[in-house]
Amino acid sequence: MINPFDLTGKVAIVTGANTGLGQGIAVALAQAGARVVGVGRSPMDETERQIAARGGAFHAVTADLSTIAPLERIVEEAARWGGRVDILVNNAGLIRRADPLEFSEKDWDDVMNVNLKTAFFLSQAFARRLLAQGGGGKIINVASVLSFQGGIRIPSYTASKHGIAGLTQLLANEWAPKGINVNAIAPGYCVTNNTKAIREDPARNAAILARIPAGRWGTPEDIGGAAVFLASSASDYCHGTILVVDGGWLAR
Ligand code: NAP
């Protein structure tokens, strides 16, 4: 029987693959059969170890995604290692928390550059490569429940995540006719470095947990399954979908 979630023979690029959701996504894609290229500025040894333990293949590309300078090289190196590229997951991202009355230009630019600008220009470089090699492909952006809500104390993050949701739909409109599926995952509140500060604040932690119908924070594994779906032929008719994986947070 054909498994519509099988990624055997596919090459996937995952940004921010050293930790958190990116690591969960990289491992899940490898487990589904993809060869994975991790992209980031920190060592990705732990991700490589987890993938090797499952019999998968992993290649690390070192790059700082705060500027668009390394993007062509990333796609080039991935294609050289993998022989082709099929899947891009724009996962790398950061958050800065401060009162909007005090929020700095640096905290605005740092977040927007990685979360939105780099995601767009890496998608552009990746899509050009897909069109040159032929056969289509899959782009998966990591949005957030803050693509739909305002939140508090995170103006640049909320703007970037609303932006990535809109960009996902725009690129889906542009590239669906070219055989490229562009979709996003919108995780809810997950246990990663990104949420360390609010998990360690007893009042915020309790308030967040009280609102999650599933009664727990999400994990990288919870997000990995959604990534496999959007990377696989099971989602071939999904274009511009923003798949919410939030334990029910937005339903509340
Ligand atoms: P995380 O553990 O902080 O991981 C963020 C990743 O982005 C890390 O790999 C980090 O690398 C990388 N990154 C940040 N700036 C970078 C730069 N300039 N160059 C290269 N890599 C950079 O947080 P996470 O929760 O897994 O975040 C992954 C994605 O999920 C983000 O887009 C985030 O907004 C989104 N998200 C998270 C949640 C949540 O509750 N955790 C909810 C919704 C959406 P370093 O380790 O080297 O900094």
mmCIF file of all heavy atoms in Angstrom, residues 110-143:
data_model
loop_
_atom_site.group_PDB
_atom_site.id
_atom_site.type_symbol
_atom_site.label_atom_id
_atom_site.label_comp_id
_atom_site.label_asym_id
_atom_site.label_seq_id
_atom_site.Cartn_x
_atom_site.Cartn_y
_atom_site.Cartn_z
ATOM 1 N N ASP A 110 15.399 43.234 14.768
ATOM 2 C CA ASP A 110 15.978 41.890 14.943
ATOM 3 C C ASP A 110 14.914 40.813 14.693
ATOM 4 O O ASP A 110 15.182 39.796 14.052
ATOM 5 C CB ASP A 110 16.532 41.722 16.366
ATOM 6 C CG ASP A 110 17.821 42.502 16.593
ATOM 7 O OD1 ASP A 110 18.345 43.085 15.626
ATOM 8 O OD2 ASP A 110 18.290 42.534 17.751
ATOM 9 N N VAL A 111 13.723 41.041 15.218
ATOM 10 C CA VAL A 111 12.653 40.047 15.082
ATOM 11 C C VAL A 111 12.130 40.007 13.653
ATOM 12 O O VAL A 111 11.987 38.933 13.046
ATOM 13 C CB VAL A 111 11.512 40.342 16.094
ATOM 14 C CG1 VAL A 111 10.300 39.485 15.815
ATOM 15 C CG2 VAL A 111 12.021 40.114 17.524
ATOM 16 N N MET A 112 11.876 41.178 13.096
ATOM 17 C CA MET A 112 11.312 41.209 11.735
ATOM 18 C C MET A 112 12.290 40.625 10.712
ATOM 19 O O MET A 112 11.884 39.957 9.766
ATOM 20 C CB MET A 112 10.950 42.649 11.332
ATOM 21 C CG MET A 112 9.830 43.238 12.154
ATOM 22 S SD MET A 112 8.266 42.325 12.008
ATOM 23 C CE MET A 112 7.547 43.144 10.622
ATOM 24 N N ASN A 113 13.593 40.870 10.924
ATOM 25 C CA ASN A 113 14.580 40.381 9.952
ATOM 26 C C ASN A 113 14.582 38.860 9.861
ATOM 27 O O ASN A 113 14.554 38.302 8.767
ATOM 28 C CB ASN A 113 15.982 40.891 10.307
ATOM 29 C CG ASN A 113 16.167 42.331 9.894
ATOM 30 O OD1 ASN A 113 15.437 42.849 9.050
ATOM 31 N ND2 ASN A 113 17.127 42.993 10.488
ATOM 32 N N VAL A 114 14.615 38.191 11.003
ATOM 33 C CA VAL A 114 14.676 36.717 10.980
ATOM 34 C C VAL A 114 13.291 36.132 10.674
ATOM 35 O O VAL A 114 13.132 35.276 9.802
ATOM 36 C CB VAL A 114 15.204 36.148 12.313
ATOM 37 C CG1 VAL A 114 15.174 34.624 12.300
ATOM 38 C CG2 VAL A 114 16.621 36.641 12.576
ATOM 39 N N ASN A 115 12.278 36.599 11.400
ATOM 40 C CA ASN A 115 10.962 35.949 11.320
ATOM 41 C C ASN A 115 10.258 36.178 9.987
ATOM 42 O O ASN A 115 9.469 35.340 9.559
ATOM 43 C CB ASN A 115 10.043 36.469 12.436
ATOM 44 C CG ASN A 115 10.503 36.070 13.829
ATOM 45 O OD1 ASN A 115 11.659 35.707 14.021
ATOM 46 N ND2 ASN A 115 9.617 36.153 14.803
ATOM 47 N N LEU A 116 10.541 37.326 9.351
ATOM 48 C CA LEU A 116 9.753 37.662 8.156
ATOM 49 C C LEU A 116 10.624 37.872 6.907
ATOM 50 O O LEU A 116 10.414 37.205 5.896
ATOM 51 C CB LEU A 116 8.934 38.923 8.458
ATOM 52 C CG LEU A 116 7.781 39.248 7.508
ATOM 53 C CD1 LEU A 116 6.836 38.074 7.338
ATOM 54 C CD2 LEU A 116 7.026 40.479 8.012
ATOM 55 N N LYS A 117 11.620 38.750 7.018
ATOM 56 C CA LYS A 117 12.416 39.084 5.824
ATOM 57 C C LYS A 117 13.191 37.867 5.322
ATOM 58 O O LYS A 117 13.132 37.516 4.145
ATOM 59 C CB LYS A 117 13.374 40.245 6.144
ATOM 60 C CG LYS A 117 14.164 40.725 4.947
ATOM 61 C CD LYS A 117 14.999 41.953 5.293
ATOM 62 C CE LYS A 117 15.821 42.396 4.095
ATOM 63 N NZ LYS A 117 16.633 43.587 4.407
ATOM 64 N N THR A 118 13.910 37.212 6.229
ATOM 65 C CA THR A 118 14.691 36.041 5.816
ATOM 66 C C THR A 118 13.775 34.925 5.321
ATOM 67 O O THR A 118 14.096 34.245 4.339
ATOM 68 C CB THR A 118 15.563 35.551 6.988
ATOM 69 O OG1 THR A 118 16.576 36.530 7.210
ATOM 70 C CG2 THR A 118 16.213 34.220 6.692
ATOM 71 N N ALA A 119 12.632 34.748 5.976
ATOM 72 C CA ALA A 119 11.701 33.692 5.536
ATOM 73 C C ALA A 119 11.260 33.947 4.098
ATOM 74 O O ALA A 119 11.178 33.015 3.282
ATOM 75 C CB ALA A 119 10.496 33.630 6.463
ATOM 76 N N PHE A 120 11.004 35.209 3.752
ATOM 77 C CA PHE A 120 10.589 35.504 2.378
ATOM 78 C C PHE A 120 11.732 35.262 1.394
ATOM 79 O O PHE A 120 11.562 34.558 0.386
ATOM 80 C CB PHE A 120 10.094 36.949 2.227
ATOM 81 C CG PHE A 120 9.884 37.299 0.772
ATOM 82 C CD1 PHE A 120 8.856 36.715 0.045
ATOM 83 C CD2 PHE A 120 10.755 38.151 0.119
ATOM 84 C CE1 PHE A 120 8.687 36.982 -1.312
ATOM 85 C CE2 PHE A 120 10.594 38.426 -1.242
ATOM 86 C CZ PHE A 120 9.560 37.846 -1.957
ATOM 87 N N PHE A 121 12.909 35.813 1.690
ATOM 88 C CA PHE A 121 13.986 35.714 0.689
ATOM 89 C C PHE A 121 14.568 34.300 0.589
ATOM 90 O O PHE A 121 15.038 33.910 -0.482
ATOM 91 C CB PHE A 121 15.055 36.783 0.932
ATOM 92 C CG PHE A 121 14.589 38.143 0.465
ATOM 93 C CD1 PHE A 121 14.142 39.095 1.371
ATOM 94 C CD2 PHE A 121 14.524 38.438 -0.888
ATOM 95 C CE1 PHE A 121 13.673 40.324 0.932
ATOM 96 C CE2 PHE A 121 14.047 39.671 -1.343
ATOM 97 C CZ PHE A 121 13.623 40.623 -0.426
ATOM 98 N N LEU A 122 14.491 33.527 1.683
ATOM 99 C CA LEU A 122 14.913 32.124 1.564
ATOM 100 C C LEU A 122 13.880 31.351 0.722
ATOM 101 O O LEU A 122 14.246 30.512 -0.099
ATOM 102 C CB LEU A 122 15.092 31.489 2.950
ATOM 103 C CG LEU A 122 15.648 30.064 2.958
ATOM 104 C CD1 LEU A 122 16.977 29.947 2.204
ATOM 105 C CD2 LEU A 122 15.828 29.560 4.396
ATOM 106 N N SER A 123 12.620 31.669 0.903
ATOM 107 C CA SER A 123 11.578 31.043 0.070
ATOM 108 C C SER A 123 11.802 31.378 -1.409
ATOM 109 O O SER A 123 11.646 30.525 -2.280
ATOM 110 C CB SER A 123 10.183 31.529 0.483
ATOM 111 O OG SER A 123 9.918 31.188 1.822
ATOM 112 N N GLN A 124 12.181 32.615 -1.664
ATOM 113 C CA GLN A 124 12.444 33.045 -3.044
ATOM 114 C C GLN A 124 13.602 32.248 -3.654
ATOM 115 O O GLN A 124 13.508 31.725 -4.776
ATOM 116 C CB GLN A 124 12.767 34.543 -3.054
ATOM 117 C CG GLN A 124 13.040 35.113 -4.421
ATOM 118 C CD GLN A 124 13.570 36.547 -4.307
ATOM 119 O OE1 GLN A 124 14.678 36.768 -3.832
ATOM 120 N NE2 GLN A 124 12.756 37.494 -4.733
ATOM 121 N N ALA A 125 14.719 32.163 -2.898
ATOM 122 C CA ALA A 125 15.887 31.417 -3.399
ATOM 123 C C ALA A 125 15.545 29.943 -3.603
ATOM 124 O O ALA A 125 15.953 29.321 -4.593
ATOM 125 C CB ALA A 125 17.053 31.558 -2.410
ATOM 126 N N PHE A 126 14.766 29.394 -2.673
ATOM 127 C CA PHE A 126 14.367 27.983 -2.736
ATOM 128 C C PHE A 126 13.431 27.748 -3.939
ATOM 129 O O PHE A 126 13.598 26.773 -4.686
ATOM 130 C CB PHE A 126 13.685 27.615 -1.416
ATOM 131 C CG PHE A 126 13.149 26.216 -1.350
ATOM 132 C CD1 PHE A 126 14.010 25.138 -1.160
ATOM 133 C CD2 PHE A 126 11.788 25.969 -1.449
ATOM 134 C CE1 PHE A 126 13.516 23.838 -1.084
ATOM 135 C CE2 PHE A 126 11.284 24.677 -1.374
ATOM 136 C CZ PHE A 126 12.153 23.617 -1.189
ATOM 137 N N ALA A 127 12.469 28.635 -4.122
ATOM 138 C CA ALA A 127 11.510 28.472 -5.222
ATOM 139 C C ALA A 127 12.209 28.573 -6.580
ATOM 140 O O ALA A 127 11.872 27.834 -7.520
ATOM 141 C CB ALA A 127 10.392 29.505 -5.118
ATOM 142 N N ARG A 128 13.189 29.476 -6.674
ATOM 143 C CA ARG A 128 13.948 29.583 -7.934
ATOM 144 C C ARG A 128 14.649 28.261 -8.237
ATOM 145 O O ARG A 128 14.676 27.797 -9.372
ATOM 146 C CB ARG A 128 14.974 30.722 -7.837
ATOM 147 C CG ARG A 128 14.335 32.098 -7.923
ATOM 148 C CD ARG A 128 15.389 33.179 -7.726
ATOM 149 N NE ARG A 128 14.822 34.515 -7.865
ATOM 150 C CZ ARG A 128 15.383 35.619 -7.386
ATOM 151 N NH1 ARG A 128 16.537 35.550 -6.749
ATOM 152 N NH2 ARG A 128 14.814 36.794 -7.560
ATOM 153 N N ARG A 129 15.208 27.652 -7.191
ATOM 154 C CA ARG A 129 15.893 26.369 -7.365
ATOM 155 C C ARG A 129 14.902 25.278 -7.771
ATOM 156 O O ARG A 129 15.178 24.472 -8.663
ATOM 157 C CB ARG A 129 16.621 26.009 -6.063
ATOM 158 C CG ARG A 129 17.126 24.593 -5.960
ATOM 159 C CD ARG A 129 18.194 24.266 -6.976
ATOM 160 N NE ARG A 129 19.373 25.089 -6.793
ATOM 161 C CZ ARG A 129 20.620 24.702 -7.073
ATOM 162 N NH1 ARG A 129 20.860 23.503 -7.572
ATOM 163 N NH2 ARG A 129 21.641 25.512 -6.884
ATOM 164 N N LEU A 130 13.738 25.257 -7.129
ATOM 165 C CA LEU A 130 12.720 24.251 -7.472
ATOM 166 C C LEU A 130 12.324 24.381 -8.935
ATOM 167 O O LEU A 130 12.207 23.386 -9.655
ATOM 168 C CB LEU A 130 11.452 24.443 -6.624
ATOM 169 C CG LEU A 130 11.482 24.025 -5.164
ATOM 170 C CD1 LEU A 130 10.096 24.233 -4.547
ATOM 171 C CD2 LEU A 130 11.906 22.571 -5.003
ATOM 172 N N LEU A 131 12.127 25.619 -9.383
ATOM 173 C CA LEU A 131 11.689 25.818 -10.763
ATOM 174 C C LEU A 131 12.792 25.395 -11.732
ATOM 175 O O LEU A 131 12.513 24.818 -12.785
ATOM 176 C CB LEU A 131 11.285 27.276 -10.989
ATOM 177 C CG LEU A 131 10.066 27.721 -10.159
ATOM 178 C CD1 LEU A 131 9.752 29.189 -10.382
ATOM 179 C CD2 LEU A 131 8.840 26.855 -10.458
ATOM 180 N N ALA A 132 14.051 25.628 -11.344
ATOM 181 C CA ALA A 132 15.170 25.230 -12.203
ATOM 182 C C ALA A 132 15.304 23.713 -12.278
ATOM 183 O O ALA A 132 15.591 23.164 -13.341
ATOM 184 C CB ALA A 132 16.469 25.853 -11.679
ATOM 185 N N GLN A 133 15.073 23.041 -11.137
ATOM 186 C CA GLN A 133 15.241 21.573 -11.152
ATOM 187 C C GLN A 133 14.001 20.867 -11.690
ATOM 188 O O GLN A 133 14.065 19.736 -12.174
ATOM 189 C CB GLN A 133 15.646 21.040 -9.759
ATOM 190 C CG GLN A 133 14.517 20.798 -8.801
ATOM 191 C CD GLN A 133 14.954 20.366 -7.389
ATOM 192 O OE1 GLN A 133 16.121 20.396 -7.020
ATOM 193 N NE2 GLN A 133 13.997 19.951 -6.598
ATOM 194 N N GLY A 134 12.805 21.543 -11.593
ATOM 195 C CA GLY A 134 11.547 20.974 -12.086
ATOM 196 C C GLY A 134 10.905 20.043 -11.077
ATOM 197 O O GLY A 134 11.582 19.463 -10.224
ATOM 198 N N GLY A 135 9.579 19.942 -11.112
ATOM 199 C CA GLY A 135 8.902 18.954 -10.272
ATOM 200 C C GLY A 135 8.208 19.474 -9.034
ATOM 201 O O GLY A 135 7.633 18.698 -8.279
ATOM 202 N N GLY A 136 8.252 20.777 -8.774
ATOM 203 C CA GLY A 136 7.518 21.342 -7.639
ATOM 204 C C GLY A 136 8.171 21.076 -6.308
ATOM 205 O O GLY A 136 9.296 20.575 -6.228
ATOM 206 N N GLY A 137 7.465 21.412 -5.235
ATOM 207 C CA GLY A 137 8.013 21.238 -3.886
ATOM 208 C C GLY A 137 7.072 21.815 -2.849
ATOM 209 O O GLY A 137 5.935 22.188 -3.150
ATOM 210 N N LYS A 138 7.582 21.868 -1.616
ATOM 211 C CA LYS A 138 6.746 22.273 -0.470
ATOM 212 C C LYS A 138 7.472 23.308 0.370
ATOM 213 O O LYS A 138 8.639 23.085 0.743
ATOM 214 C CB LYS A 138 6.472 21.057 0.419
ATOM 215 C CG LYS A 138 5.882 19.841 -0.306
ATOM 216 C CD LYS A 138 4.382 19.854 -0.258
ATOM 217 C CE LYS A 138 3.794 18.582 -0.848
ATOM 218 N NZ LYS A 138 2.342 18.529 -0.737
ATOM 219 N N ILE A 139 6.783 24.394 0.677
ATOM 220 C CA ILE A 139 7.319 25.381 1.619
ATOM 221 C C ILE A 139 6.380 25.434 2.826
ATOM 222 O O ILE A 139 5.156 25.535 2.661
ATOM 223 C CB ILE A 139 7.432 26.780 0.975
ATOM 224 C CG1 ILE A 139 8.429 26.746 -0.190
ATOM 225 C CG2 ILE A 139 7.841 27.825 2.017
ATOM 226 C CD1 ILE A 139 8.545 28.051 -0.969
ATOM 227 N N ILE A 140 6.969 25.315 4.011
ATOM 228 C CA ILE A 140 6.188 25.348 5.252
ATOM 229 C C ILE A 140 6.728 26.466 6.129
ATOM 230 O O ILE A 140 7.899 26.448 6.527
ATOM 231 C CB ILE A 140 6.304 23.997 6.000
ATOM 232 C CG1 ILE A 140 5.856 22.844 5.098
ATOM 233 C CG2 ILE A 140 5.490 24.031 7.297
ATOM 234 C CD1 ILE A 140 6.266 21.464 5.621
ATOM 235 N N ASN A 141 5.901 27.451 6.393
ATOM 236 C CA ASN A 141 6.299 28.528 7.302
ATOM 237 C C ASN A 141 5.818 28.205 8.712
ATOM 238 O O ASN A 141 4.776 27.567 8.879
ATOM 239 C CB ASN A 141 5.695 29.851 6.836
ATOM 240 C CG ASN A 141 6.278 30.312 5.515
ATOM 241 O OD1 ASN A 141 7.481 30.153 5.275
ATOM 242 N ND2 ASN A 141 5.443 30.858 4.644
ATOM 243 N N VAL A 142 6.565 28.651 9.707
ATOM 244 C CA VAL A 142 6.097 28.480 11.077
ATOM 245 C C VAL A 142 5.499 29.815 11.532
ATOM 246 O O VAL A 142 6.213 30.799 11.738
ATOM 247 C CB VAL A 142 7.202 27.981 12.011
ATOM 248 C CG1 VAL A 142 6.681 27.889 13.446
ATOM 249 C CG2 VAL A 142 7.680 26.601 11.547
ATOM 250 N N ALA A 143 4.176 29.828 11.589
ATOM 251 C CA ALA A 143 3.428 31.007 12.031
ATOM 252 C C ALA A 143 3.243 30.891 13.544
ATOM 253 O O ALA A 143 4.164 30.478 14.260
ATOM 254 C CB ALA A 143 2.103 31.071 11.285
#
